[in-house]
């Protein structure tokens, strides 16, 4: 009976995308190992300066012995031991790194050219994979971020780019995270910083917005005049039903004028003189 493993494998059939050593270090390797250990013992304790290394809490050390990845994975944090002339190691920083994506000239789906820049936050989650699976994880992530930014924005309209930045950032993060997962890199956040439009397009959009605002202002003014005329008509109907109300309104108007302009001489017209015209 044959069992099938669910662990992802690469083209060579190795699990987790890492090559497994096909054999030991060989006869020459053992000879070099013996000579190195003899040298360390002879020069002890001065050899400790070359054999003992230290990595910080946020760092890991990936060690290669005679070109082969040392078993046990990355070392650290703290002290670790290497054999001079046989081991070489690379420090990997596990802290979150942020970088600005250079402004990209993007042609949107509605044939508008815009310049868009973004900022990407990522960190190395697997130090061994970031060294063995890609030549330069940091540089590759930066180049991939610029390419992904152009590809994602090329499928959006200008209005979507300006108003739906949150969904665009989430889509970019998902695409980058899937692409950088085999490199041992985790993309934590992507933010679109700025969208710059051509000057002619800015003027056209400003003219369109101004015309739209003027149209809305005229509609609002017309609605206000309509409501005011209805209120005046209702007030006139009430005053017709009660002649005393018109006289009171007349006296109130005189009081308002005399309060605002004290130097003005007012000759009040008796309201009784107007009653004849009101009856007609």
């Amino acid at each position: 009976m044959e069992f099938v493993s669910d662990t992802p494998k690469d083209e060579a059939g190795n699990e987790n995308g890492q090559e497994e050593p096909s054999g030991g270090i060989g006869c020459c390797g053992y000879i070099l190992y013996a000579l190195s250990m003899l040298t360390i013992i002879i020069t002890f304790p001065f050899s400790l300066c070359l054999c003992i290394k230290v990595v910080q809490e946020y760092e890991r050390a990936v060690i290669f012995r005679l070109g082969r990845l040392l078993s046990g994975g990355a070392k650290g944090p703290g002290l670790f031991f290497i054999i001079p002339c046989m081991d070489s190691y690379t420090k990997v920083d596990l802290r979150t790194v942020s970088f600005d994506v250079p402004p990209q000239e993007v042609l949107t789906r509605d044939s508008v050219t815009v310049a868009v820049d973004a900022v990407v936050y990522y960190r190395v989650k697997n130090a061994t994979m970031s060294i063995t699976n890609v030549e330069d994880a940091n540089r590759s992530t930066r180049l991939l971020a610029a390419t992904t930014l152009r590809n994602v924005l090329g499928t959006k309209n200008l209005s979507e780019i300006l108003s739906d930045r949150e969904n665009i950032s989430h889509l970019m993060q998902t695409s980058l995270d899937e692409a950088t997962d085999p490199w041992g890199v985790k993309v934590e956040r992507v933010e679109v910083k700025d969208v710059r439009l051509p000057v002619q397009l800015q003027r056209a959009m400003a003219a369109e917005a101004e015309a739209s605002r003027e149209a809305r202002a005229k509609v609002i003014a017309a609605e206000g005049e309509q409501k005011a005329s209805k209120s005046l008509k209702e007030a006139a109907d009430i005053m017709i039903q009660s002649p005393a109300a018109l006289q009171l309104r007349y006296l109130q108007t005189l009081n308002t004028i005399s309060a605002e302009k004290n130097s003005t001489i007012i000759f009040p017209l008796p309201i009784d003189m107007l009653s004849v015209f009101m009856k007609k």
Side-chain angles (χ1 to χ4, degrees), residues 127-151:
T128 303
M129 294 175 64
S130 66
I131 297 297
T132 58
N133 291 3
V134 64
E135 181 181 0
D136 190 343
N138 294 329
R139 180 173 177 271
S140 300
T141 303
R142 294 171 185 266
L143 294 177
L144 184 61
T147 305
T148 304
L149 179 63
R150 291 195 300 268
N151 293 339

Side-chain angles (χ1 to χ4, degrees), residues 32-266:
L32 183 59
Y33 178 79
L35 293 177
S36 299
M37 295 302 296
L38 180 62
T39 304
I40 292 173
I41 295 174
I42 294 175
T43 59
F44 186 85
F46 302 101
S47 59
L48 295 179
C49 297
L50 299 176
C51 296
I52 296 179
K53 302 296 180 181
V54 181
V55 291
Q56 304 297 330
E57 180 69 27
Y58 53 84
E59 294 178 332
R60 297 294 184 271
V62 181
I63 304 176
F64 292 89
R65 178 164 297 171
L66 295 179
R68 297 178 181 272
L69 182 64
L70 195 64
S71 60
K75 306 298 182 182
L79 298 174
F80 64 95
F81 185 84
I82 64 171
I83 301 177
C85 302
M86 291 186 64
D87 295 347
S88 62
Y89 72 96
T90 303
K91 289 184 180 180
V92 179
D93 197 332
L94 301 183
R95 292 177 293 182
T96 299
V97 180
S98 63
F99 68 92
D100 292 328
V101 180
Q104 304 293 317
E105 294 288 340
V106 180
L107 182 64
T108 62
R109 192 171 60 180
D110 51 355
S111 301
V112 177
T113 302
V114 294
V116 184
D117 55 354
V119 59
V120 179
Y121 299 87
Y122 73 96
R123 63 179 176 85
V124 177
K125 66 177 182 179
N126 191 316
T128 303
M129 294 175 64
S130 66
I131 297 297
T132 58
N133 291 3
V134 64
E135 181 181 0
D136 190 343
N138 294 329
R139 180 173 177 271
S140 300
T141 303
R142 294 171 185 266
L143 294 177
L144 184 61
T147 305
T148 304
L149 179 63
R150 291 195 300 268
N151 293 339
V152 171
L153 295 181
T155 61
K156 303 292 183 179
N157 295 327
L158 178 61
S159 58
E160 295 176 349
I161 295 176
L162 296 176
S163 61
D164 200 12
R165 295 190 181 184
E166 184 176 356
N167 290 336
I168 293 176
S169 300
H170 180 70
L171 181 59
M172 285 186 57
Q173 177 187 353
T174 304
S175 300
L176 282 174
D177 196 22
E178 292 178 356
T180 57
D181 186 67
W183 303 343
V185 175
K186 171 66 176 178
V187 178
E188 296 180 340
R189 190 178 183 88
V190 178
E191 291 292 340
V192 177
K193 290 176 57 179
D194 189 18
V195 179
R196 290 185 291 274
L197 305 177
V199 179
Q200 296 180 353
L201 182 58
Q202 292 180 11
R203 294 176 180 174
M205 294 178 66
E208 180 183 1
E210 184 178 0
S212 178
R213 291 191 183 95
E214 289 180 356
R216 288 198 299 268
K218 292 180 180 179
V219 171
I220 294 173
E223 291 178 353
E225 292 180 357
Q226 182 182 6
K227 293 179 180 179
S229 62
K230 290 181 179 179
S231 300
L232 290 175
K233 181 180 178 299
E234 293 176 358
D237 294 339
I238 295 175
M239 289 182 180
I240 290 175
Q241 296 175 2
S242 178
L246 180 60
Q247 186 173 2
L248 292 175
R249 179 60 179 168
Y250 175 73
L251 295 176
Q252 184 181 5
T253 304
L254 293 179
N255 186 23
T256 304
I257 295 174
S258 62
E260 294 179 355
K261 298 180 180 180
N262 298 328
S263 60
T264 303
I265 300 175
I266 301 174

